[in-house]
Amino acid sequence: MASKFMDPHDVETIPGTEGWERMYPYHYQFSREDPLRAEHESSQLWYYDGLHYPEPHPPFDLLWDEAWFLALSQNNTRTFLVPPAKGIEHRIVNGYVFITPIGIADPKEIEARVPVFMKRAGYYYDNWDTLYVEWEARMKGLLNELEAVSFRPLPEIEDESMVFEKRGTSSGYHLMNQYDHLIGMGFKCWQYHFEMLNLCYAAFLTFTNTVDQIFPNTPMGTVTKMVSGIDAMIMRPNAELIKLAKLAIENDVDQVILKPLNAAGCMKELEKTTPGKYWLSELEKARYPWFHISTGTGWYHHDASWNDNLDIPFDAIRMHIKALKAGKVIDRPTERLVEERDKLVEEYRGLIQTEEDREAFDQTLSIARRVFPYAENHIFYVENWFHSVFWNKMRQVADILHGVGFIEDKEDIWYLKRGEIREALWDHVTSWATGIRPRGSSYWPREIAWRKGVMEKFKQWTPPPALGVPPEVVTEPFSIMLWGITTDVLKKWLQGVEAAAGGGETDELLGAPGSSGVVEGPARVIRSVEVLAELQEGEILVATTTSPSWAPAFTKIKGAVTDVGGSMCHAAIICREYALPTVVGTGRATSFIKTGDLIRIDGDSGVVKILKRA
Amino acid sequence: MFNDRREQVLLTADHKAHVDLGEVTMTEKEKSIILWYDELEGKDFNLVGKKNANLGEMIRAGIRTSPGFALTIYANDLFITSMGIKSALENYLKDLGRVTYENSLKASAFAVNLIEEASVPSIITDELFREYQKLCDLAGVENVPVATRSSGAISMPGQMETFLNIRGQEDLLHYIKKTWASAYFVEAITYRMNKGLGFILNIGVGVPKMVNSRVSGIVFTLNPLNGDRSKISVDVSYGLGEAVVSGLVTPDNFLVDKVTLEPIRSKLGEKEVQCVYEETGSTIKTVNVPQEARSRLSIDKEELKEICRISKAIDRYYGKPYDIEFAIDADLSFPENVIILQVRPESVWSKKEIKPKIEKKKDAMDRVINQLITGVRLK
């Protein structure tokens, strides 16, 4: 078997995209200019971050990648001094983000970091609950601040308050300032996101490894079940839909909702009656904040939230109404889940043979449970709530640039880097100030047209799962938890490299166990939430990755397979909830499997087998 | 005639059944001639004997054995009383004076002959044949093969008989009498003599269905490779258990999570051959397994789960890891077809000294640090 992947410097530029590098920050490029940096780049294992990014990056959208590049790394390296791990480095290749964990090799250096880590991380672990409450308050404060931002076209002449109230700062200045503030809040949100997360994963990883030592080969899904909270925020949006479905039946408005209308048409009908109006008022209550849930990962501008596209939650409510009327129980069985979780822990604990091991189990379980709500809830605050609102604030900026002809379509704004938008706004503001034609209207449309072509070519390209040289030890908690980077995964990827080179085709894919069980059924490859309705009862969902907002679909399917993700990724968590066999992190399920193929997935071994091609 | 055959059902659990001496009038249950295993519990040992009562207790604990019923001790008494055997024996003993080692052989022959030659009253045979028919119906097999097993209210280890592969009413009645008679074998009489017990002994007779093993195998209620008690290991192959026990075949192997009963690993075995009974039912032969059956797992997920569920119940019942023989009966339907044949305590890991798997640490924080420093090694 191959022992390493392609050198990151050797990846070829796709013909017709020459010059693509200018769409992204210069420091995101692999480069041989500096021999020392190039040597480092060649010696690392870089894996494609398909968990967050199933598609190539529109230039603007890279800001969240920049945000976590900074936040995660600074916390490991400079704030908490995680003894052996410095963070995660990022690069971009043909529009796809590759990342690599940076470890510390020198034992002396690691040792020197321990006391600082003990003191700082210890403070967080000891005061976790209080700090989490304070964190939530800070996060909500930031969300309020974000809501308050708004962008309006610049006035022909300034309001007279500029003079008589001695405002002193112009609308142009204010526009620039607001934009900087918006971007600044985006980064701040991600500073918060990582404030507690790495410590959180470190504690959880300690527990999973403890279980693995006492009970080797225990499925990861089972271990996660022992610590997971039952009332995670990410489950709430779907719970709200179920509530609304029940409310519709109780108030006799279900027939209106079941009519083949879109959300707007449906709401218009509901406005006509008192119970309908009542239902709409309850809908409004549920929308903020719960409909800020994203239909994608939340990382891309096109990941619309339910609030952006009410047809999606309306479809889901319809699905729930039909299920309820068919006598199905669709509530999340929280009581049963709590019972199961406690029984699981009690049984495993009862099987431990020594006092020492029992103490290790108890201590690590307790710390893992303490930190877990944060792991579960931060995603709703950041990737869903904050991002959903943020994208729409950016659309107000797009309105302004569209108004002055810098971009032909409002959605073209995403083809600009965040810094380029700042430059464009400056172009606009100064031309507004002087009354002279800006350059933007002649410069940007041409550049954007070219970038669109490049993006199309990027989409046709399949990024390799990894580049460079696999390490002996992975110490970075995120790499293991989220991306599921383990020996087996790397081995499987290397096999893939080999198979691709040899042109050999197999009927099997290997991923990581996500949720236990074996199931057979027809596959359906779903690439975006808009086509989720195509899923038929009893099919196996095949997706790059899934978002919590896909939850309503999980009542229909038999199992799921994803390209990316570890045992903690959303698809794995939610499938365990619904007791659906799941394989995650297969690397290439969506390209390997075609809709209609009969497949068998084994959520225990991680094997996906094509039984019959469609 | 079938003594060369291995006894199929060997549940040898000792029970702390309580003895109830207070009752004078007989209850409905006490007057029963036949009680099915699943109607019994441990404290019924004075009605049907210990082995039978234990089987009932097992079933109550969720440990399924081959279906069947017991002729009660009362039925034995009814037989010897109503056929004049009891008074004949009492008169014989009076004439003999007392039973000694010298005359035990003669006494044994007298009693055995008396019982084997007597006819059985219809009050017993009517019920026996009716219940036997029910067992045939359950299996969907005419004259379903059964065993008869003696079962005394007091322990007399291994001194009484078991007869295998009995088919049809006539055969059944014949061997039930032989089983009753076995209580008067010389070894049994001298054992009672040594213990200062009476000469006359009524026993229960168990009549379990002979297991028609579609597949059979061995379970360890731990991982035999590392002693991990949170796992169950299952080896299973086609036919009788001999093939697996003697290592004649590489069986399918499963590693199952004992807590969740979910499979963790499945390994397809070669399973080239299987052991089956000859047509006459008396000896075992080895035959080839068809290629199609070799290339797939010999049991499905539901059957595996049921085997593990029962094995876990046994582990819990005894409070320690067990080594279990099981079979899946081709005549019965799921889940009644998953049958436990034999259980014994696991002997390898149970003898080893148990060492902690995790280093002692000051506190949880210390453990997190240690985890971070160690990382996860890529093997």
Side-chain angles (χ1 to χ4, degrees):
Chain A
M1 200 200 307
S3 64
K4 56 184 183 182
F5 300 94
M6 187 194 287
D7 186 282
H9 303 99
D10 293 342
V11 181
E12 281 176 21
T13 294
I14 305 161
T17 67
E18 292 79 5
W20 65 270
E21 291 86 351
R22 70 171 181 271
M23 290 160 60
Y24 307 102
Y26 71 89
H27 54 92
Y28 263 70
Q29 329 287 336
F30 283 110
S31 163
R32 285 202 166 102
E33 281 163 7
D34 171 355
L36 287 178
R37 187 170 157 104
E39 194 192 318
H40 157 74
E41 288 173 342
S42 295
S43 69
Q44 289 290 121
L45 173 80
W46 300 86
Y47 54 91
Y48 161 46
D49 182 10
L51 170 66
H52 294 119
Y53 314 131
E55 303 167 33
H57 255 89
F60 180 80
D61 297 23
L62 198 72
L63 110 149
W64 298 136
D65 190 72
E66 295 177 77
W68 79 262
F69 183 175
L70 173 65
L72 178 145
S73 304
Q74 85 201 3
N75 277 12
N76 274 5
T77 313
R78 311 283 173 193
T79 308
F80 288 103
L81 277 68
V82 172
K86 277 188 164 171
I88 296 183
E89 245 189 309
H90 296 222
R91 296 288 187 275
I92 197 157
V93 179
N94 294 340
Y96 293 84
V97 171
F98 283 73
I99 55 179
T100 189
I102 302 297
I104 297 175
D106 181 3
K108 275 194 194 129
E109 193 184 343
I110 295 175
E111 209 174 303
R113 290 163 70 94
V114 168
V116 184
F117 179 79
M118 289 280 265
K119 191 175 170 198
R120 298 184 180 188
Y123 174 77
Y124 262 82
Y125 288 130
D126 288 343
N127 300 289
W128 194 272
D129 296 343
T130 328
L131 289 167
Y132 178 50
V133 171
E134 287 171 19
W135 181 90
E136 270 192 312
R138 231 176 302 137
M139 195 69 219
K140 282 181 180 161
L142 185 63
L143 283 157
N144 284 336
E145 208 178 323
L146 175 69
E147 292 282 7
V149 172
S150 72
F151 296 91
R152 258 174 246 105
L154 298 176
E156 189 56 36
I157 55 165
E158 288 284 5
D159 189 80
E160 60 179 27
S161 65
M162 174 92 180
V163 177
F164 299 113
E165 287 171 25
K166 298 177 250 337
R167 195 146 49 88
T169 52
S170 77
S171 302
Y173 167 82
H174 192 63
L175 173 61
M176 292 307 304
N177 213 29
Q178 284 278 287
Y179 178 73
D180 288 344
H181 184 44
L182 177 65
I183 300 297
M185 279 191 290
F187 286 116
K188 192 176 192 179
C189 169
W190 276 88
Q191 294 281 305
Y192 290 169
H193 179 286
F194 275 96
E195 184 183 328
M196 300 165 89
L197 197 59
N198 229 354
L199 298 182
C200 194
Y201 282 131
F204 181 71
L205 193 62
T206 308
F207 176 63
T208 60
N209 237 21
T210 301
V211 174
D212 195 59
Q213 282 176 61
I214 306 174
F215 304 121
N217 306 316
T218 301
M220 189 63 159
T222 308
V223 182
T224 315
K225 253 190 204 161
M226 291 193 231
V227 291
S228 56
I230 304 301
D231 48 0
M233 281 170 94
I234 212 72
M235 300 294 169
R236 186 70 185 275
N238 191 43
E240 291 292 322
L241 296 185
I242 293 172
K243 213 162 83 185
L244 285 166
K246 286 183 178 167
L247 198 70
I249 296 172
E250 283 161 23
N251 288 276
D252 243 356
V253 295
D254 51 311
Q255 289 309 327
V256 183
I257 296 169
L258 287 176
K259 281 184 191 172
L261 295 167
N262 62 17
C266 198
M267 288 165 85
K268 222 164 134 190
E269 286 280 304
L270 287 163
E271 275 296 349
K272 291 176 186 163
T273 65
T274 315
K277 272 187 195 151
Y278 168 69
W279 189 87
L280 285 173
S281 71
E282 291 299 305
L283 172 74
E284 278 308 293
K285 280 186 211 158
R287 285 181 67 178
Y288 304 97
W290 305 113
F291 282 24
H292 284 314
I293 190 157
S294 174
T295 55
T297 54
W299 292 83
Y300 290 95
H301 67 267
H302 55 66
D303 292 338
S305 75
W306 288 356
N307 275 330
D308 295 331
N309 183 357
L310 283 173
D311 290 343
I312 292 165
F314 265 76
D315 277 345
I317 292 170
R318 253 174 231 132
M319 210 164 7
H320 286 323
I321 290 177
K322 284 180 193 158
L324 285 168
K325 295 197 134 185
K328 279 199 197 173
V329 179
I330 55 172
D331 282 300
R332 215 165 136 262
T334 46
E335 261 172 50
R336 200 195 67 200
L337 290 170
V338 173
E339 227 170 76
E340 271 178 15
R341 183 186 73 176
D342 295 347
K343 194 173 153 250
L344 202 63
V345 169
E346 195 187 308
E347 267 199 59
Y348 275 103
R349 199 177 177 279
L351 292 167
I352 301 173
Q353 299 299 307
T354 66
E355 209 38 64
E356 288 89 337
D357 289 350
R358 208 165 296 126
E359 187 182 82
F361 181 86
D362 289 347
Q363 284 181 351
T364 53
L365 173 64
S366 147
I367 198 164
R369 276 198 174 170
R370 195 182 313 153
V371 301
F372 215 68
Y374 182 85
E376 293 181 314
N377 291 342
H378 78 277
I379 293 177
F380 185 76
Y381 280 113
V382 178
E383 280 97 322
N384 291 275
W385 190 346
F386 189 95
H387 281 200
S388 294
V389 176
F390 180 90
W391 294 123
N392 287 326
K393 296 295 176 187
M394 276 305 297
R395 286 191 172 90
Q396 293 180 6
V397 177
D399 277 345
I400 291 173
L401 292 180
H402 179 247
V404 292
F406 283 27
I407 53 176
E408 287 168 350
D409 185 301
K410 286 174 191 171
E411 294 296 310
D412 286 351
I413 192 170
W414 318 114
Y415 291 94
L416 272 60
K417 291 189 272 193
R418 65 180 166 88
E420 289 171 336
I421 293 172
R422 194 174 193 284
E423 278 181 56
L425 286 173
W426 196 255
D427 184 4
H428 166 51
V429 163
T430 47
S431 76
W432 167 78
T434 57
I436 299 299
R437 279 183 69 78
R439 188 179 172 206
S441 45
S442 55
Y443 179 85
W444 286 115
R446 204 163 32 116
E447 176 66 13
I448 287 167
W450 176 79
R451 289 185 183 189
K452 281 182 176 173
V454 171
M455 285 299 290
E456 274 314 305
K457 292 199 169 69
F458 282 169
K459 277 183 190 164
Q460 306 307 317
W461 188 70
T462 304
L467 298 167
V469 186
E472 254 181 58
V473 182
V474 174
T475 48
E476 209 294 312
F478 282 86
S479 319
I480 304 157
M481 297 287 312
L482 289 174
W483 290 275
I485 304 297
T486 64
T487 325
D488 288 345
V489 169
L490 290 176
K491 214 186 274 174
K492 166 202 78 192
W493 286 353
L494 285 166
Q495 273 166 2
V497 167
E498 199 142 276
E505 192 53 53
T506 72
D507 57 356
E508 259 186 28
L509 263 185
L510 214 114
S515 172
S516 175
V518 182
V519 73
E520 282 178 16
R524 178 155 312 259
V525 181
I526 296 281
R527 291 179 195 277
S528 77
V529 69
E530 285 76 23
V531 291
L532 204 56
E534 289 174 8
L535 262 181
Q536 302 298 310
E537 194 89 34
E539 287 183 327
I540 296 172
L541 170 68
V542 181
T544 310
T545 178
T546 72
S547 126
S549 73
W550 291 26
F554 283 77
T555 53
K556 263 189 177 178
I557 59 173
K558 265 181 164 173
V561 186
T562 71
D563 287 350
V564 287
S567 64
M568 288 299 294
C569 78
H570 170 258
I573 292 173
I574 203 145
C575 285
R576 286 194 289 271
E577 289 263 347
Y578 286 90
L580 296 169
T582 306
V583 175
V584 295
T586 58
R588 55 194 178 114
T590 53
S591 56
F592 184 71
I593 300 167
K594 304 274 176 283
T595 294
D597 288 350
L598 185 66
I599 61 172
R600 176 167 64 223
I601 63 173
D602 184 336
D604 300 295
S605 64
V607 175
V608 178
K609 194 178 165 79
I610 297 190
L611 302 171
K612 210 174 139 227
R613 282 286 186 188
Chain B
M1 75 187 269
F2 298 122
N3 298 356
D4 60 324
R5 210 163 307 148
R6 191 171 63 89
E7 205 177 340
Q8 282 240 336
V9 181
L10 258 179
L11 287 164
T12 52
D14 248 9
H15 280 277
K16 300 144 241 148
H18 78 101
V19 183
D20 194 348
L21 297 167
E23 293 185 42
V24 181
T25 51
M26 285 178 93
T27 62
E28 201 62 30
K29 196 171 186 180
E30 285 166 335
K31 281 189 290 184
S32 299
I33 286 168
I34 282 174
L35 290 166
W36 283 69
Y37 288 145
D38 55 13
E39 296 176 279
L40 297 171
E41 51 191 315
K43 66 175 189 206
D44 291 330
F45 74 97
N46 49 349
L47 302 184
V48 290
K50 278 191 169 178
K51 257 188 235 171
N52 286 329
N54 287 349
L55 282 175
E57 190 67 20
M58 290 282 180
I59 293 166
R60 265 157 212 268
I63 305 164
R64 191 182 306 106
T65 59
S66 193
F69 52 81
L71 262 92
T72 59
I73 293 172
Y74 171 72
N76 194 172
D77 187 52
L78 200 63
F79 165 64
I80 62 166
T81 311
S82 62
M83 291 293 119
I85 297 167
K86 193 173 179 183
S87 49
L89 284 176
E90 276 162 0
N91 289 335
Y92 179 78
L93 284 176
K94 247 180 236 160
D95 295 345
L96 203 64
R98 57 188 273 266
V99 186
T100 63
Y101 289 105
E102 288 71 37
N103 63 22
S104 64
L105 201 63
K106 225 176 96 191
S108 169
F110 178 81
V112 167
N113 187 55
L114 201 59
I115 292 168
E116 288 187 354
E117 294 307 311
S119 58
V120 179
S122 61
I123 186 172
I124 295 174
T125 54
D126 286 355
E127 190 161 344
L128 173 66
F129 296 154
R130 193 173 65 232
E131 300 307 308
Y132 175 63
Q133 189 53 48
K134 278 188 199 161
L135 196 59
C136 294
D137 294 345
L138 180 73
V141 176
E142 205 183 326
N143 293 334
V144 70
V146 293
T148 62
R149 315 178 64 218
S150 62
S151 170
I154 49 163
S155 296
M156 282 182 285
Q159 290 176 356
M160 290 184 287
E161 282 292 325
T162 289
F163 300 99
L164 303 178
N165 253 315
I166 298 155
R167 287 163 176 263
Q169 296 185 350
E170 198 187 321
D171 223 18
L172 176 59
L173 192 60
H174 176 72
Y175 282 103
I176 281 172
K177 281 195 287 181
K178 278 182 90 82
T179 310
W180 279 333
S182 72
Y184 299 92
F185 283 0
V186 176
E187 298 84 350
I189 298 172
T190 50
Y191 178 85
R192 291 208 287 281
M193 217 166 61
N194 289 338
K195 293 272 168 190
L197 302 166
F199 180 77
I200 295 177
L201 177 73
N202 290 316
I203 57 171
V205 180
V207 183
K209 176 188 178 303
M210 289 292 293
V211 180
N212 180 11
S213 306
R214 189 191 88 221
V215 298
S216 46
I218 301 170
V219 174
F220 285 94
T221 64
L222 48 66
N223 183 345
L225 302 179
N226 58 17
D228 173 9
R229 293 194 183 187
S230 74
K231 307 291 183 294
I232 295 175
S233 164
V234 181
D235 276 357
V236 56
S237 197
Y238 296 109
L240 294 167
E242 272 71 8
V244 180
V245 176
S246 63
L248 199 61
V249 293
T250 308
D252 294 331
N253 171 261
F254 302 91
L255 190 68
V256 176
D257 187 309
K258 195 195 277 178
V259 175
T260 61
L261 297 184
E262 292 295 338
I264 293 168
R265 215 170 45 216
S266 309
K267 233 164 47 201
L268 187 71
E270 290 291 321
K271 313 186 290 284
E272 294 103 323
V273 294
Q274 59 175 321
C275 294
V276 293
Y277 280 124
E278 297 263 20
E279 296 302 310
T280 56
S282 55
T283 48
I284 292 169
K285 63 176 179 180
T286 304
V287 297
N288 287 330
V289 174
Q291 186 57 46
E292 179 276 327
R294 284 175 55 184
S295 59
R296 61 178 157 82
L297 293 171
S298 53
I299 50 171
D300 65 27
K301 200 185 165 191
E302 288 309 306
E303 291 168 334
L304 176 65
K305 196 165 187 171
E306 181 64 9
I307 291 161
C308 292
R309 187 193 64 75
I310 300 175
S311 301
K312 182 175 170 180
I314 293 170
D315 179 296
R316 287 203 150 182
Y317 188 81
Y318 295 109
K320 56 186 170 187
Y322 257 67
D323 165 351
I324 298 156
E325 277 181 46
F326 70 92
I328 295 183
D329 192 317
D331 301 333
L332 303 172
S333 51
F334 183 82
E336 282 72 29
N337 57 354
V338 179
I339 284 163
I340 301 305
L341 302 178
Q342 182 166 327
V343 302
R344 57 184 160 256
E346 191 279 337
S347 58
V348 177
W349 290 96
S350 310
K351 285 183 193 135
K352 289 196 180 166
E353 189 201 344
I354 298 164
K355 288 190 195 121
K357 300 203 167 45
I358 298 178
E359 257 179 274
K360 186 105 187 118
K361 291 275 176 232
K362 201 171 88 233
D363 51 23
M365 187 64 202
D366 207 12
R367 294 183 195 279
V368 174
I369 295 268
N370 190 54
Q371 172 65 55
L372 283 170
I373 291 172
T374 317
V376 174
R377 183 160 289 276
L378 299 178
K379 289 159 220 154

